[in-house]
Amino acid sequence: MITFDSYEIWFVTGSQHLYGPKTLDQVAENSQKIAAQLNQAKDIPVKVVFKPVVKTPEEIRALCKEANNAPACIGLITWMHTFSPAKMWIAGLNVLAKPFCHLHTQFGREIPWSQIDMDFMNLNQSAHGDREFGFIGSRMRLNRKVVVGHWQDDDVQQELGTWARAAAAWADSQDVKVARFGDNMRDVAVTEGNKVSAQMQFGYSVYGYGVGDLVAVVEQATEGDVDALAARYVEEYQVSPELHQTRSYSTLREAARLELGMRAFLEAGNFKAFTTTFEDLNGINQLPGLACQRLMMDGYGFGAEGDWKTAALVRAMKVMGAGLPGGTSFMEDYTYHMPAGGTAQVLGAHMLEVCPSIASDKPSLQVHPLSIGGKADPARLLFNTKTGPALNASLIDLGNRFRLIVNPVEVVPIESKLPNLPVAQALWVPQPNLKIAAAAWIYAGGAHHTGFSQAVSVEMLQDFADMAEIECLLIDNKTEIAEFKKEIRSNHVYYSLARGL
């Protein structure tokens, strides 16, 4: 399971020696109070650590180098209590490799009208100092998050928490290993991509394995372990009594054997994400369905048909949403419901691999034939998805760069039973509607595979894209196709030239 126990964010306050020791002592005391309260904030999931006030270029650079070398540190929150001349920050920001969030706040809420004097003004000049710091960030063309408001306000703490979750996903990505069991589905374009470029851009690395490598580990599972896991399935899910009296129970045992082998393989290699493909199952008698669903439930990223980019994205989204209500899953836009005069909807599903973290009720464990792949009938969990707000996200490789596409949706009830469709599914209405959303998605080159989440917010994904320095296109209620096409064209020019400017 994913936790944030090993992560921390450093709270860094800028000042200078101009104001004397008494003022600097007060700056440090106030900063400690802010850091302590942020550390207790319910919306900030990681530890917030106060660092000594930095007052010189040497102190700033040393702190940034320390942050780079501290495995627990996933980013900085910077704040200028007083004026902090921005040239002092250049050397430090030049070497800083961790994300940072610029908190534009001040210690006190209100101006003490009857007592205010120049000593108060010199101490409480964040309005002055943060603008100076903001300039150097823009002058150096640094990606950073800017949060404005009083540090005790809920919305400020929520924004900091959102950024912290993206920073945690970014830190996690730096050592994500993706195991690919088999290759991509043949002749599919969007699941391909440049793995070297991806490792340079995001940090994660992709490893390919022949299915025989997995089979060797699957065959090591003992009969006792297989029986124990199959029994757990029966306890945890809705299972029809008939399953015990039919050959389907042997199928269920094989699904358990697959899960044991896949889990052992991934744990031994310290993998955090993986892919499978129904076109490459040599030595396996069924496409892994139940195993993929349960591994996702435990925090692994997954992509079908060799889609390693979506597997890595799902893992990042799992980290962002850890501990929040709702779940995250691999998903696919499958088919449309377009009633005359009614609201067009999307039925999302996949052959087998939808994560039960998004289930509205206790999943049903069933065994059914699979119409493609030519293997034995696989086991899978069936369920409907919780209704309410959600989003779909797609990470694509454009050849010279990566693009993240995000579309908020509203999951709606499925009014009719689907007795002949034995898969987990979700029915949703995309923003602003299917006509515009699908057109924009296609213009943007979005994949049919997505990361689907009812826990992750648009802002988290935008913050993550900023940390990765990639384009993020949002399709929402404000989207108009003509303007969206202009955004794509202008972004193409910017991202093509930005690294050389």
Side-chain angles (χ1 to χ4, degrees):
M1 300 299 289
I2 296 168
T3 70
F4 298 113
D5 295 343
S6 62
Y7 289 149
E8 59 189 35
I9 289 172
W10 292 1
F11 188 83
V12 180
T13 305
S15 188
Q16 58 176 321
H17 284 292
L18 178 66
Y19 307 108
K22 183 178 178 180
T23 297
L24 289 175
D25 288 345
Q26 190 64 54
V27 167
E29 181 181 337
N30 291 349
S31 299
Q32 285 177 301
K33 290 179 180 178
I34 295 177
Q37 181 153 335
L38 294 181
N39 186 50
Q40 297 299 318
K42 61 180 177 57
D43 292 312
I44 301 177
V46 302
K47 186 178 181 181
V48 178
V49 177
F50 167 79
K51 303 300 288 186
V53 177
V54 289
K55 307 167 291 293
T56 66
E58 292 75 20
E59 290 177 356
I60 294 169
R61 189 170 187 270
L63 183 139
C64 291
K65 292 173 68 176
E66 181 187 358
N68 290 345
N69 294 321
C73 177
I74 61 172
L76 312 180
I77 297 175
T78 57
W79 173 52
M80 308 303 116
H81 193 317
T82 68
F83 190 73
S84 179
K87 286 182 67 177
M88 295 197 312
W89 287 86
I90 294 174
L93 293 177
N94 263 333
V95 300
L96 181 64
K98 300 288 177 75
F100 74 96
C101 175
H102 181 187
L103 176 60
H104 183 40
T105 190
Q106 64 183 29
F107 183 71
R109 282 190 178 276
E110 300 174 351
I111 295 174
W113 300 107
S114 60
Q115 288 87 31
I116 188 170
D117 56 17
M118 283 308 300
D119 287 340
F120 181 94
M121 293 280 277
N122 285 332
L123 174 63
N124 298 281
Q125 54 176 314
S126 300
H128 184 183
D130 277 332
R131 281 169 167 76
E132 170 79 353
F133 183 72
F135 165 76
I136 204 62
S138 296
R139 178 65 177 82
M140 296 175 70
R141 298 176 184 172
L142 300 175
N143 280 326
R144 76 277 194 200
K145 176 85 167 186
V146 178
V147 176
V148 179
H150 195 264
W151 52 278
Q152 292 177 313
D153 288 345
D154 289 343
D155 64 327
V156 168
Q157 294 181 6
Q158 288 165 5
E159 287 185 68
L160 291 173
T162 292
W163 175 81
R165 287 180 173 277
W170 179 247
D172 182 77
S173 291
Q174 303 315 298
D175 63 358
V176 161
K177 293 171 63 180
V178 182
R180 298 178 68 232
F181 299 123
D183 205 342
N184 289 74
M185 180 180 173
R186 291 183 280 276
D187 289 329
V188 177
V190 75
T191 55
E192 295 284 0
N194 190 316
K195 302 179 189 68
V196 174
S197 295
Q199 187 167 354
M200 293 168 62
Q201 194 81 48
F202 301 101
Y204 53 73
S205 49
V206 184
Y207 294 82
Y209 294 93
V211 178
D213 295 328
L214 174 60
V215 170
V217 181
V218 169
E219 290 176 346
Q220 294 174 17
T222 68
E223 297 304 312
D225 288 342
V226 170
D227 286 334
L229 184 54
R232 281 180 55 194
Y233 293 163
V234 174
E235 292 176 2
E236 294 179 16
Y237 308 115
Q238 298 182 49
V239 180
S240 65
E242 293 78 14
L243 186 144
H244 296 277
Q245 283 80 44
T246 67
R247 65 179 182 179
S248 294
Y249 193 73
S250 63
T251 299
L252 197 64
R253 292 185 75 260
E254 286 307 304
R257 193 184 307 276
L258 269 175
E259 180 184 339
L260 290 167
M262 293 175 74
R263 193 177 291 275
F265 191 105
L266 296 172
E267 289 176 353
N270 293 316
F271 293 101
K272 296 179 180 179
F274 68 102
T275 72
T276 62
T277 175
F278 68 92
E279 287 190 327
D280 196 346
L281 294 172
N282 188 32
I284 296 177
N285 68 353
Q286 62 177 274
L287 175 64
L290 180 59
C292 296
Q293 291 178 297
R294 286 172 54 83
L295 286 164
M296 265 193 286
M297 187 72 182
D298 288 342
Y300 285 93
F302 172 75
E305 288 92 52
D307 189 351
W308 52 271
K309 297 189 298 301
T310 301
L313 176 62
V314 169
R315 168 64 187 191
M317 293 171 69
K318 288 278 188 183
V319 174
M320 291 179 213
L324 294 177
T328 296
S329 177
F330 170 80
M331 186 60 72
E332 179 171 283
D333 295 69
Y334 231 107
T335 192
Y336 296 138
H337 181 56
M338 297 177 166
T343 301
Q345 301 164 333
V346 181
L347 182 64
H350 203 257
M351 292 185 292
L352 303 172
E353 312 95 336
V354 178
C355 180
S357 66
I358 64 173
S360 61
D361 48 19
K362 189 175 182 178
S364 172
L365 177 54
Q366 300 181 22
V367 174
H368 294 280
L370 191 65
S371 59
I372 58 178
K375 291 289 183 176
D377 303 347
R380 81 289 300 274
L381 297 175
L382 277 64
F383 53 83
N384 289 331
T385 302
K386 300 170 189 174
T387 59
L391 59 76
N392 276 307
S394 173
L395 180 65
I396 62 169
D397 185 345
L398 293 172
N400 62 342
R401 60 188 178 87
F402 293 89
R403 170 183 287 163
L404 182 64
I405 307 156
V406 183
N407 181 211
V409 304
E410 183 74 16
V411 179
V412 297
I414 298 177
E415 301 295 342
S416 300
K417 293 184 178 180
L418 306 172
N420 299 314
L421 185 66
V423 296
Q425 66 271 314
L427 184 69
W428 66 77
V429 178
Q431 290 186 12
N433 54 57
L434 178 60
K435 186 177 184 67
I436 293 176
W441 191 272
I442 290 169
Y443 278 123
H448 54 288
H449 289 167
T450 63
F452 171 92
S453 183
Q454 295 177 312
V456 173
S457 69
V458 169
E459 188 177 2
M460 290 178 201
L461 289 166
Q462 289 173 326
D463 288 346
F464 182 83
D466 282 343
M467 294 172 192
E469 298 184 339
I470 65 169
E471 177 186 14
C472 183
L473 289 175
L474 174 62
I475 303 168
D476 63 4
N477 283 327
K478 299 177 182 178
T479 298
E480 298 177 356
I481 292 299
E483 292 302 313
F484 191 77
K485 291 169 68 176
K486 290 179 184 177
E487 182 180 3
I488 291 174
R489 287 193 289 266
S490 61
N491 283 1
H492 176 70
V493 174
Y494 169 78
Y495 283 98
S496 297
L497 297 176
R499 293 187 180 185
L501 293 177

